[in-house]
Amino acid sequence: MAYRLMLVDDHPVVRQGLRSFLSRQDDLEIVAEAGSLAEARERAAQVSGELDLVLLDIELPDGSGLSLIRELLDQPHPPRVLVLTSFLEREYVREALRRGANGYLIKHAGTQVLLDGVRAVLRGEMPLDPAAARLLAQDRSDPVAELTPRERQVLELLAEGLSNRDISQRLNVREKTVKSHLGNVFAKLGLRDRTQAALWAREHGLQTTRR
């Protein structure tokens, strides 16, 4: 079964290129496209409950794509949202993640990076362009302080080498909850994946001793 995607970008050539590349993947299907906020709202309503992922640009002719993120996530069966933009500014990155975006990639990063990012989001991960991750980290004097006690606990267990399932059993929570906590950790610390998070935790002395 193929994952169902919607493309939101005001440049027809960009949409055509994305559609052509992504449609060649056996596990991906483009089911809707939009070139503006108004059109995106209309298309999203038409395929509500059927979308798995929205590739979303930020600058659209009738407003910011950031305003659409929460609307999409408030649907009864919300899709994941991957921001794909030419803009690399700290406030854009921070606001996109604050509103619930599942990742932030830059258009010129290349097709393989995009494909890896799409599949990472569909797996429940949060891909971030390396430059975007650095922007988020620049103004943090005490990044650990931004984590909730539970997020820190999950990060410590990840640094021990535990899988999401192991962490869920250790903390007596659902595996989906662990994934959610890890997504928050990645966003707050400007990290891209589990490996980077584990290294970060060890470098900052967050690895615990197994009992």
Side-chain angles (χ1 to χ4, degrees):
M1 184 181 73
Y3 292 104
R4 297 162 65 86
L5 280 63
M6 180 167 79
L7 310 177
V8 181
D9 193 293
D10 62 326
H11 293 95
V13 174
V14 172
R15 293 201 309 275
Q16 180 181 356
L18 290 171
R19 180 176 63 251
S20 176
F21 172 67
L22 294 173
S23 295
R24 292 200 299 269
Q25 313 306 315
D26 293 337
D27 58 338
L28 304 177
E29 178 186 2
I30 309 302
V31 298
E33 296 182 32
S36 67
L37 280 177
E39 192 175 8
R41 291 185 177 109
E42 180 181 352
R43 296 290 184 270
Q46 291 172 349
V47 293
S48 177
E50 301 177 7
L51 277 178
D52 296 299
L53 174 66
V54 175
L55 279 176
L56 178 65
D57 194 9
I58 287 180
E59 290 297 328
L60 299 171
D62 51 348
S64 172
L66 295 177
S67 65
L68 187 64
I69 296 174
R70 182 49 56 189
E71 295 179 35
L72 291 168
L73 298 182
D74 283 342
Q75 293 181 353
H77 301 284
R80 297 182 185 274
V81 178
L82 175 58
V83 171
L84 181 65
T85 181
S86 300
F87 293 91
L88 187 57
E89 298 179 17
R90 184 182 295 112
E91 289 306 317
Y92 277 140
V93 180
R94 182 186 296 153
E95 187 63 15
L97 298 179
R98 188 187 71 80
R99 290 176 183 242
N102 301 100
Y104 195 105
L105 297 180
I106 305 303
K107 289 180 180 178
H108 61 67
T111 54
Q112 189 59 50
V113 172
L114 169 62
L115 183 58
D116 290 343
V118 166
R119 288 177 172 155
V121 168
L122 292 170
R123 290 194 302 268
E125 300 171 14
M126 181 175 284
L128 289 177
D129 181 89
R134 287 193 294 271
L135 284 175
L136 291 176
Q138 282 176 358
D139 58 352
R140 294 189 175 102
S141 57
D142 184 13
V144 177
E146 297 194 19
L147 302 179
T148 67
R150 181 62 90 184
E151 289 167 357
R152 175 168 176 160
Q153 195 173 21
V154 168
L155 180 58
E156 289 172 345
L157 294 174
L158 182 151
E160 288 184 16
L162 273 66
S163 66
N164 286 357
R165 178 175 295 181
D166 292 336
I167 295 173
S168 69
Q169 292 173 350
R170 179 77 68 89
L171 300 180
N172 194 29
V173 298
R174 297 172 61 190
E175 190 172 347
K176 183 177 180 181
T177 301
V178 173
K179 291 181 179 179
S180 177
H181 285 315
L182 284 176
N184 292 337
V185 169
F186 294 164
K188 289 181 178 181
L189 301 181
L191 304 172
R192 288 173 295 173
D193 52 37
R194 292 174 58 87
T195 300
Q196 195 177 61
L199 291 173
W200 190 97
R202 291 165 187 164
E203 290 172 357
H204 289 77
L206 294 186
Q207 187 175 10
T208 63
T209 302
R210 288 198 183 194
R211 293 186 293 273

